[in-house]
Amino acid sequence: MTLFELVDALGGELVCNEARVRRDGKWITLARIVGQDWQLTQVGERLLDSVKVPPPPVEPIEVVPVAPARRGRPRKPVEVATDGND
């Protein structure tokens, strides 16, 4: 797994010459650009070593359509008056 795949898998970003991810409410820097190359930090090296293979994709659950719920109070049937000329 490359640095860019790790950042993408963890939901991180590449900002201000740094590759970083948010964990426990704090930004953790995984790598910095030094010259023209990316240099991993100690935390980035540990995370890259610990993540070997990304988890398998999640299978979507079948969605069963549901009839919309009626709103308001139930209505009584209305009787239509007929005058017998139909």
Side-chain angles (χ1 to χ4, degrees):
M1 178 177 274
T2 65
L3 170 67
F4 303 110
E5 291 171 344
L6 177 66
V7 171
D8 188 42
L10 296 176
E13 57 185 16
L14 303 173
V15 177
C16 298
N17 298 330
E18 291 184 347
R20 61 187 189 171
V21 295
R22 192 167 186 91
R23 287 204 138 173
D24 300 325
K26 296 180 182 179
W27 286 105
I28 299 173
T29 302
L30 302 179
R32 291 188 175 91
I33 292 180
V34 177
Q36 294 181 352
D37 299 321
W38 286 96
Q39 183 175 3
L40 288 170
T41 61
Q42 292 177 352
V43 175
E45 288 176 2
R46 281 186 281 162
L47 279 176
L48 195 58
D49 290 338
S50 67
V51 180
K52 298 294 182 188
V53 178
V58 177
E59 294 290 326
I61 299 173
E62 183 179 341
V63 178
V64 178
V66 178
R70 293 189 54 142
R71 295 174 28 187
R73 63 181 176 83
R75 306 285 189 227
K76 294 180 182 178
V78 177
E79 295 182 21
V80 178
T82 57
D83 56 2
N85 293 334
D86 290 318

